[in-house]
Amino acid sequence: MNIEYLRQFADLVYTKNISQSAARLFLSQSALSKHVASMEQELGTQLFYREASGVELTPAGRSILPYVNRILAAYDHILLETDPNHTPEYSQLRIGHMRNVASELLVSTIRSISRKHPDISIQLKELGMSEIVSALGQNEIELGITLKPKSRVFSSDISFQPLASDQMQVILPPHHPLADSAGLCLYELAKEALILPSVYYYHDYARQLQNYFQRYRIAPHILCEYDTSESAILMVDAGLGVSVLPKSEIFQKNELSTVPLTDCDPLLELCVIWKTDHISPGEKEFISTITQLVQHSF
């Protein structure tokens, strides 16, 4: 099987659009379609559903994706081992990240890496906390930037580098009576309309926050739950209530007040994760760069 066909297959999985992948790979759309059809003929099965809006993997396509990613990674390693000066033409780094988590830090890291290696292709994929671990296991990404509950232990096939503890912040409208506080305790939020993280997207973090309320025997007035920090900030800005967010998710400059939550130990730590049995020179450099830059952000 042609190694470049496998690269094209992987790119099409990422873009889900033949015209976009063809442009990225400097191919005509007809040539890319022909190469995909050739793979399907060789394997004896359909790999993509073709629709007007784009393409989607079939069950067969999803089943071979982890193996395609391993083959491409192994091939690039062979090239690097046999010629240390060789940089793979389509070298790429796929990173899963939670939306708005340490956004400025992630941008700074990518900027630093791309200046040193202008030919590298960095692909970002927004995922939930648990989805990042799953994508790593399925070889859909090489690295994950995530918030790890301090109590959580990853399986032995996943390595991680802690970057910083993530302090909890209470987000309030600027004219709220508590807005000028140096710090706040949970009991001071008992009568507030709260906008809290959803269990679906934040999972362990949301559960731990619930446990804190139970420990202090507080029955919170939960107005609604958020899936993104953007939603929480917009609702607080609209005067609907107050919210509790990790510091790393306060992603934009605004007029809202932020006050540390003082009676909760940091529930989360920002970390980068990767598969224990595989780490490339590019991944090592990314981890080293983000570790150095985090000292200036937290």
Side-chain angles (χ1 to χ4, degrees):
M1 185 172 291
N2 190 313
I3 192 72
E4 294 308 322
Y5 287 9
L6 295 181
R7 293 195 190 280
Q8 293 161 22
F9 169 84
D11 194 89
L12 190 53
V13 171
Y14 172 71
T15 66
K16 300 182 179 181
N17 185 284
I18 288 178
S19 63
Q20 288 183 27
S21 279
R24 285 160 53 91
L25 298 166
F26 301 99
L27 294 170
S28 66
Q29 294 184 41
S30 60
L32 179 57
S33 296
K34 182 179 179 180
H35 297 169
V36 172
S38 177
M39 279 187 64
E40 291 177 324
Q41 182 176 5
E42 183 174 351
L43 295 172
T45 187
Q46 185 178 357
L47 301 176
F48 291 99
Y49 295 119
R50 279 80 162 173
E51 300 175 356
S53 58
V55 299
E56 291 287 345
L57 283 172
T58 63
R62 284 195 298 272
S63 69
I64 72 166
L65 179 59
Y67 301 101
V68 170
N69 289 332
R70 290 173 194 167
I71 291 170
L72 293 176
Y75 182 74
D76 284 344
H77 275 288
I78 289 172
L79 295 178
L80 288 169
E81 289 294 332
T82 55
D83 181 1
N85 296 317
H86 175 80
T87 300
E89 183 178 1
Y90 296 103
S91 60
Q92 66 177 11
L93 190 57
R94 298 167 304 163
I95 303 169
H97 67 103
M98 294 179 65
R99 189 175 190 179
N100 299 325
V101 169
S103 300
E104 293 182 7
L105 177 63
L106 186 55
V107 169
S108 297
T109 305
I110 293 172
R111 182 187 299 119
S112 178
I113 294 291
S114 61
R115 283 174 178 170
K116 295 179 183 177
H117 307 282
D119 294 331
I120 195 170
S121 172
I122 297 178
Q123 301 174 359
L124 300 179
K125 188 172 185 179
E126 290 184 358
L127 298 167
M129 189 180 287
S130 59
E131 291 174 322
I132 289 176
V133 176
S134 176
L136 196 64
Q138 293 296 318
N139 293 301
E140 296 173 3
I141 57 174
E142 282 82 43
L143 296 172
I145 308 297
T146 187
L147 294 172
K148 183 184 82 67
K150 290 211 165 189
S151 61
R152 181 174 184 178
V153 177
F154 287 121
S155 59
S156 60
D157 61 338
I158 294 179
S159 296
F160 74 97
Q161 172 67 48
L163 299 174
S165 294
D166 212 355
Q167 179 66 49
M168 306 307 300
Q169 303 282 317
V170 182
I171 315 299
L172 312 101
H175 303 298
H176 192 283
L178 300 175
D180 295 327
S181 303
L184 290 171
C185 299
L186 278 178
Y187 75 85
E188 296 178 271
L189 304 180
K191 295 182 180 180
E192 300 291 335
L194 294 176
I195 300 159
L196 297 181
S198 72
V199 173
Y200 171 76
Y201 190 80
Y202 288 90
H203 196 57
D204 295 338
Y205 158 53
R207 294 291 189 197
Q208 289 191 34
L209 197 56
Q210 291 173 2
N211 290 339
Y212 267 108
F213 281 111
Q214 293 173 4
R215 180 185 302 177
Y216 292 104
R217 298 184 178 181
I218 298 171
H221 171 206
I222 302 175
L223 176 72
C224 60
E225 297 181 341
Y226 63 81
D227 282 345
T228 69
S229 54
E230 288 175 319
S231 301
I233 289 172
L234 287 172
M235 285 187 280
V236 173
D237 193 43
L240 297 178
V242 304
S243 187
V244 179
L245 284 169
K247 181 180 178 181
S248 65
E249 292 226 31
I250 303 172
F251 62 93
Q252 64 184 22
K253 306 294 184 184
N254 53 59
E255 297 181 355
L256 300 178
S257 296
T258 60
V259 180
L261 192 59
T262 57
D263 60 347
C264 288
D265 294 329
L267 298 179
L268 304 167
E269 58 186 359
L270 182 67
C271 66
V272 56
I273 63 176
W274 65 93
K275 293 195 76 172
T276 302
D277 62 353
H278 172 77
I279 182 167
S280 70
E283 292 160 34
K284 288 180 181 178
E285 183 165 355
F286 185 94
I287 295 167
S288 174
T289 302
I290 197 171
T291 301
Q292 294 172 19
L293 290 173
V294 77
Q295 304 302 324
H296 303 288
S297 302
F298 283 82

